[in-house]
Amino acid sequence: MIAMHTQKHERFLEETLLEPEVLFIGDSLIRNLAHTDMWRQHFVPMHSLNFGIGGDQTQHVLWRVLNGELEHMKPKVVVLLVGTNNVGHLPEMIVEGIREVIKVIQSKQPQAYLVLISLLPRGQKPNPLRERNAKVNELLKEQLVGLEKVQVLDVNEGIVQADGKIDAHDMDDYLHLTPEGYRKFFEPLLELLTQLLTEGEEEELE
Amino acid sequence: MNPATTPVPPEDVQGDNRWMNIHERFLEETLLEPEVLFIGDSLIRNLAHTDMWRQHFVPMHSLNFGIGGDQTQHVLWRVLNGELEHMKPKVVVLLVGTNNVGHLPEMIVEGIREVIKVIQSKQPQAYLVLISLLPRGQKPNPLRERNAKVNELLKEQLVGLEKVQVLDVNEGIVQADGKIDAHDMDDYLHLTPEGYRKFFEPLLELLTQLLTEGEEEELED
Ligand SMILES: [Ca+2]
């Protein structure tokens, strides 16, 4: 497992030379996006790179950003989503982990706008991990409010249905979004990125 | 006792009961009268997220009972606990074993054979397509060798078994330099949609053939 993680990290190090405008980094919820038509149709034309690794927890992404994955490039936006895999960690611990990752991103890529996606709900029915993720999101919003060039983006509206359940069409294993799920719930991210990249262009013109 | 042949649900280590809820959904889906049932681990499940699935396998009336992370003993538990009821598929496609952590090749083979035994007893009319384990890891490594050994044993032991075909889809996944390309497997374990398109073509052809043969027989009757 560690060997495979290292091999992916090594590939990402090579890819840092590809001059992305948008860097996506995080766990499988980031990675699986790269397997969708939405990625190919909308995010690839924005010059996006995807540094998602399945199963990653905050400490793993933290290690990666400290070990070369933010070198060479100068992206306009970094999109971060990590934390749902932090097994046995309290919400406060996970939030601290995410904030450490943000700190490294901001220090290595001070020009970049950071979009932090809120943790997604999980489990078909209400369960302690869903509550934990909701608590993480609540703390993140509190603690990151007003931070410059950081936006917390909540894409969760509608994932949990009125009866408290998650639909298999949206998350067929009740953890990962299906391609249809990405299409439905990542639309606000697409809009935000389009807006951020356009703003960048306008500034350049001025 | 061989843990690979001991039917059991995986422990809910994370605590959100996802696996059991997925299994329960599959139980409901058994009523959908599939012609082809796919069952196994994430390599089966992820296929359902591809255009290839929607374009080719869905029109065949396929159902997908793949669960990420499943080992042989988990699939064994599922086939013994309702996932083969109600339906009467013409073909069952099975792929499981690469997630059997710490199990010897012989143990994994025994686990797969137990699953096959249950499928054949519950669905005697069905043709069984067993997909060989895929290689894994960017570079040569012990798990790749283990999977290759499993495949070798499977071919030996299943040769001549009626209505069972071992399908090896591995040709070209490992390249001449011993590496797996990220375009085919971007995490060196799972196929990308492009990887499925390249390497699951033989499965598509085999299923098309099996379903057509079935139709011809029906016409003859
Ligand atoms: Ca498509």
Side-chain angles (χ1 to χ4, degrees):
Chain A
M1 208 54 209
I2 287 170
M4 224 149 53
H5 189 271
T6 308
Q7 288 165 356
K8 287 173 239 174
H9 165 69
E10 285 165 1
R11 187 180 80 234
F12 294 160
L13 292 186
E14 291 168 14
E15 292 178 359
T16 56
L17 300 167
L18 296 176
E19 302 184 0
E21 297 282 283
V22 185
L23 178 72
F24 288 73
I25 189 162
D27 57 28
S28 54
L29 284 155
I30 290 294
R31 185 65 220 166
N32 291 358
L33 178 61
H35 302 151
T36 63
D37 287 345
M38 188 185 198
W39 177 261
R40 284 181 288 274
Q41 288 167 5
H42 297 288
F43 295 112
V44 169
M46 288 178 181
H47 300 278
S48 298
L49 261 191
N50 191 308
F51 286 1
I53 298 189
D56 261 20
Q57 305 181 26
T58 53
Q59 64 272 25
H60 307 130
V61 173
L62 186 57
W63 183 88
R64 291 199 276 130
V65 293
L66 286 168
N67 285 276
E69 292 192 10
L70 296 178
E71 308 306 318
H72 309 302
M73 65 178 72
K74 204 177 166 185
K76 288 186 179 143
V77 186
V78 176
V79 179
L80 172 65
L81 174 50
V82 68
T84 197
N85 295 317
N86 280 52
V87 184
H89 297 176
L90 294 172
E92 292 75 12
M93 297 161 72
I94 299 175
V95 168
E96 216 180 324
I98 293 169
R99 292 185 62 179
E100 282 301 310
V101 176
I102 293 176
K103 212 181 285 179
V104 176
I105 293 172
Q106 290 192 313
S107 105
K108 290 192 183 273
Q109 297 291 344
Q111 82 295 336
Y113 197 95
L114 199 144
V115 177
L116 177 71
I117 303 178
S118 294
L119 300 197
L120 274 63
R122 54 184 292 171
Q124 188 191 26
K125 297 165 193 169
N127 67 80
L129 284 182
R130 222 196 253 180
E131 286 167 35
R132 185 202 63 173
N133 283 4
K135 181 71 187 169
V136 168
N137 292 345
E138 191 190 312
L139 293 171
L140 281 172
K141 260 183 208 157
E142 277 173 29
Q143 298 184 17
L144 298 181
V145 69
L147 216 65
E148 231 182 308
K149 289 180 133 180
V150 175
Q151 179 159 344
V152 181
L153 181 69
D154 190 319
V155 297
N156 293 348
E157 198 185 326
I159 298 184
V160 174
Q161 305 190 304
D163 60 1
K165 287 192 188 170
I166 291 176
D167 191 305
H169 291 103
D170 299 328
M171 282 187 166
D172 64 359
D173 65 355
Y174 311 118
L175 175 61
H176 298 102
L177 291 168
T178 58
E180 296 71 28
Y182 280 110
R183 180 67 71 173
K184 274 167 76 174
F185 301 109
F186 269 44
E187 186 65 34
L189 175 66
L190 185 56
E191 282 168 22
L192 177 59
L193 290 180
T194 307
Q195 186 195 323
L196 287 171
L197 294 175
T198 317
E199 278 175 9
E201 271 168 31
E202 280 162 12
E203 275 168 30
E204 273 169 29
L205 285 174
E206 285 162 15
Chain B
M1 204 171 59
N2 179 358
T5 61
T6 309
V8 65
E11 198 192 336
D12 184 23
V13 280
Q14 301 240 23
D16 56 8
N17 205 35
R18 291 192 299 116
W19 191 91
M20 195 53 77
N21 290 146
I22 297 168
H23 163 68
E24 288 162 2
R25 188 180 81 231
F26 292 163
L27 292 186
E28 291 169 15
E29 292 178 0
T30 57
L31 300 168
L32 297 176
E33 302 183 1
E35 298 281 283
V36 186
L37 178 72
F38 288 72
I39 189 162
D41 56 29
S42 55
L43 285 156
I44 289 293
R45 186 65 220 167
N46 291 357
L47 178 61
H49 302 150
T50 63
D51 287 344
M52 188 185 199
W53 177 261
R54 285 181 287 272
Q55 289 166 6
H56 298 288
F57 295 112
V58 169
M60 287 179 182
H61 300 279
S62 298
L63 261 191
N64 191 309
F65 286 2
I67 299 188
D70 261 21
Q71 305 181 28
T72 53
Q73 64 272 24
H74 308 131
V75 172
L76 186 58
W77 186 90
R78 292 199 275 131
V79 292
L80 286 168
N81 285 276
E83 292 193 12
L84 296 179
E85 308 306 318
H86 310 299
M87 64 177 74
K88 203 176 167 185
K90 289 188 179 140
V91 186
V92 176
V93 179
L94 172 66
L95 174 51
V96 67
T98 197
N99 295 317
N100 279 54
V101 185
H103 296 177
L104 295 173
E106 292 75 13
M107 297 160 73
I108 299 174
V109 169
E110 213 183 325
I112 293 169
R113 291 185 62 178
E114 282 300 311
V115 176
I116 293 176
K117 213 182 283 178
V118 177
I119 294 172
Q120 289 193 314
S121 104
K122 289 191 183 276
Q123 298 291 344
Q125 82 294 336
Y127 197 96
L128 199 145
V129 177
L130 177 71
I131 303 178
S132 295
L133 300 195
L134 274 63
R136 53 186 292 175
Q138 187 191 27
K139 297 165 193 167
N141 67 80
L143 283 181
R144 222 197 252 179
E145 287 167 35
R146 185 203 63 173
N147 284 3
K149 181 70 186 170
V150 168
N151 292 345
E152 191 190 312
L153 293 172
L154 282 172
K155 260 183 208 158
E156 277 174 27
Q157 297 183 17
L158 298 181
V159 68
L161 216 63
E162 233 182 308
K163 289 180 132 180
V164 176
Q165 178 160 344
V166 182
L167 182 70
D168 189 320
V169 297
N170 292 349
E171 197 186 326
I173 298 183
V174 174
Q175 304 190 304
D177 61 0
K179 288 192 188 168
I180 291 175
D181 192 305
H183 292 101
D184 299 327
M185 283 187 165
D186 65 358
D187 66 354
Y188 310 119
L189 174 63
H190 298 102
L191 291 168
T192 58
E194 296 71 28
Y196 280 111
R197 180 67 74 174
K198 274 167 76 175
F199 301 109
F200 269 44
E201 185 65 34
L203 175 66
L204 185 55
E205 282 168 23
L206 176 59
L207 291 180
T208 307
Q209 186 194 323
L210 288 170
L211 294 175
T212 315
E213 278 174 10
E215 272 168 31
E216 281 163 10
E217 274 168 31
E218 273 169 29
L219 287 175
E220 283 163 18
D221 285 347

